[in-house]
Amino acid sequence: MPKKNKEKEPLTEEQIKRKDYAKEVRRTSLRFGLILFVYNIIATAVVIGIAALVVFGFNLEFSPVAGFIFLIVALVIDMIISFTLTSIAMYRSNLDIERIKQALNQMMEGDYNINLKLRTRSRPFKEIAEMINDLAKELDSVSILKRDFTKNFSHEFKTPIASIKGYTELLLEDKHLSDEERNKYYSIIVEQTEFLANLANSTLLLSNLESSNIVIDKVDLYIDEEIEEIALLSYSDVEAKNIEVDIELDHWIVNASKDLFQDLWMNLINNAIKYTKVDGHIKIRSEEDDSEIRISILDDGVGISEESLPHIFETYYQERQPGSNKGIGLGLSICKQICDAFGWDIEAKSKKGMGSTFTVHIPKMSANEY
């Protein structure tokens, strides 16, 4: 029976990259071989010429002795030229390898100020240098973010602790406080305690998400009902800034963790409220096509600068806005990690001073229309 041709599975992006890299290595080896071949032809021609000059310069008759001398001279000159060319090539390669080792050692010691340049023209070596330079820039960026996080976390943690300590001491020491003052101080202590609890919970949640150390118990949730309920929890903040919130969502069911789903939309809604000005507007809308549902939160707030926009989902990153200095840049990073855990996608569009739009893309394979 004739054999059936099995359909080949399409190559992954990583396999394609490996295949292209292998081709490039073969081409580089071929070029190097051709260069050596040309060098050998030139060297042989030079050797023959010099040997001929030696033989005929001494007026040696072309005899077995002259032929032997010619051969010895040719071999010696060829060995000298080959050794010289090989030594130069090895010396340059060793210099490049030493530069790579020094760059890697420098990175291991925590110094990422690297601009690795190699003398070789080999493309694979150049690609390695580019990768090391890109890695150094990325690690330097992460190092700066971690330093900023430590500084911001210390500040955000220290301030409410000092506030709680101060008002607690007042309540204990001042016996002449009025009931109104006592209630005010109690309210401040409760508010600062809640802030610390939220800070600790956010840090722990992000750590668990990044390490995949979290159990995702999925249930069926009505998207519109859940988001409307979460929006109601922020009513006091909305009312304080007189923000108009307009929600228009289709009635879809999504299979997801209720807690993480609530964390996602609570962070996005609170973020919109935080950066929307007094008397501003927030809209929550849903769209769909054949493959996905898109849920967007639009605001007409202060917006995000062009420089900051590519970094807003990075851990610890926060663009400081006038009048909004609280926080250490965990909210949007948590949103990104939750979307990744669900197999969803999240994107942001914004212009400084013209508001922002955050859109969550939910594949229809994980959702059903009611």
Side-chain angles (χ1 to χ4, degrees), residues 276-294:
T276 298
K277 297 178 182 178
V278 175
D279 299 324
H281 302 81
I282 295 174
K283 296 180 180 179
I284 305 177
R285 297 284 186 268
S286 65
E287 296 178 326
E288 63 174 291
D289 56 28
D290 292 338
S291 61
E292 67 177 14
I293 305 163
R294 293 181 296 277

Side-chain angles (χ1 to χ4, degrees), residues 8-240:
K8 291 185 177 179
E9 295 182 0
L11 297 176
T12 64
E13 186 177 348
E14 183 65 26
Q15 288 173 328
I16 293 172
K17 285 183 180 178
R18 289 180 181 178
K19 196 173 182 181
D20 291 342
Y21 184 77
K23 287 181 181 178
E24 182 59 34
V25 170
R26 287 196 293 271
R27 282 196 291 266
T28 301
S29 300
L30 180 60
R31 284 197 296 269
F32 186 70
L34 288 172
I35 290 171
L36 286 180
F37 179 70
V38 171
Y39 279 160
N40 279 328
I41 290 176
I42 295 171
T44 302
V46 171
V47 167
I48 291 173
I50 293 174
L53 286 174
V54 171
V55 171
F56 294 110
F58 286 98
N59 295 320
L60 298 174
E61 295 181 1
F62 199 76
S63 61
V65 174
F68 180 75
I69 294 173
F70 181 88
L71 180 62
I72 293 298
V73 171
L75 287 174
V76 170
I77 295 173
D78 187 55
M79 287 174 63
I80 292 171
I81 292 174
S82 298
F83 177 78
T84 302
L85 292 175
T86 302
S87 297
I88 292 171
M90 289 183 66
Y91 175 73
R92 294 184 64 176
S93 297
N94 287 336
L95 280 180
D96 287 338
I97 292 171
E98 190 61 32
R99 288 192 182 99
I100 292 172
K101 287 169 62 178
Q102 288 176 358
L104 293 174
N105 286 331
Q106 190 175 333
M107 290 166 63
M108 288 174 65
E109 292 172 359
D111 182 2
Y112 307 117
N113 186 21
I114 292 172
N115 184 20
L116 180 60
K117 292 182 180 179
L118 302 180
R119 298 180 64 182
T120 182
R121 294 182 180 178
S122 170
R123 185 173 171 183
F125 268 83
K126 284 187 175 181
E127 287 182 352
I128 290 172
E130 289 173 2
M131 290 170 66
I132 290 174
N133 288 333
D134 290 342
L135 178 61
K137 289 179 182 177
E138 186 68 24
L139 290 173
D140 188 44
S141 175
V142 171
S143 178
I144 291 171
L145 287 173
K146 285 187 175 181
R147 285 198 299 270
D148 289 345
F149 167 76
T150 302
K151 182 177 69 176
N152 293 337
F153 188 89
S154 299
H155 172 75
E156 297 297 336
F157 194 81
K158 182 180 178 181
T159 302
I161 288 292
S163 179
I164 292 170
K165 181 176 181 292
Y167 284 111
T168 302
E169 287 175 349
L170 278 173
L171 289 167
L172 290 172
E173 295 171 2
D174 193 341
K175 305 300 183 181
H176 304 290
L177 291 173
S178 65
D179 290 341
E180 184 180 351
E181 288 175 321
R182 287 182 179 278
N183 290 333
K184 180 183 177 181
Y185 296 162
Y186 283 136
S187 297
I188 293 172
I189 291 171
V190 170
E191 180 184 338
Q192 296 299 319
T193 304
E194 288 177 349
F195 175 78
L196 286 174
N198 290 333
L199 185 61
N201 290 335
S202 295
T203 306
L204 180 60
L205 175 59
L206 182 62
S207 176
N208 287 334
L209 286 167
E210 288 181 333
S211 63
S212 300
N213 186 26
I214 191 167
V215 178
I216 301 178
D217 295 322
K218 293 185 178 182
V219 294
D220 288 339
L221 304 169
Y222 291 106
I223 292 177
D224 54 338
E225 293 179 2
E226 291 293 330
I227 293 178
E228 287 170 4
E229 182 180 332
I230 293 165
L232 283 174
L233 296 176
S234 304
Y235 178 75
S236 59
D237 295 328
V238 170
E239 189 178 35

Side-chain angles (χ1 to χ4, degrees), residues 238-251:
V238 170
E239 189 178 35
K241 298 178 75 172
N242 195 34
I243 297 172
E244 181 182 333
V245 179
D246 184 15
I247 302 176
E248 288 185 13
L249 298 171
D250 292 327
H251 200 51

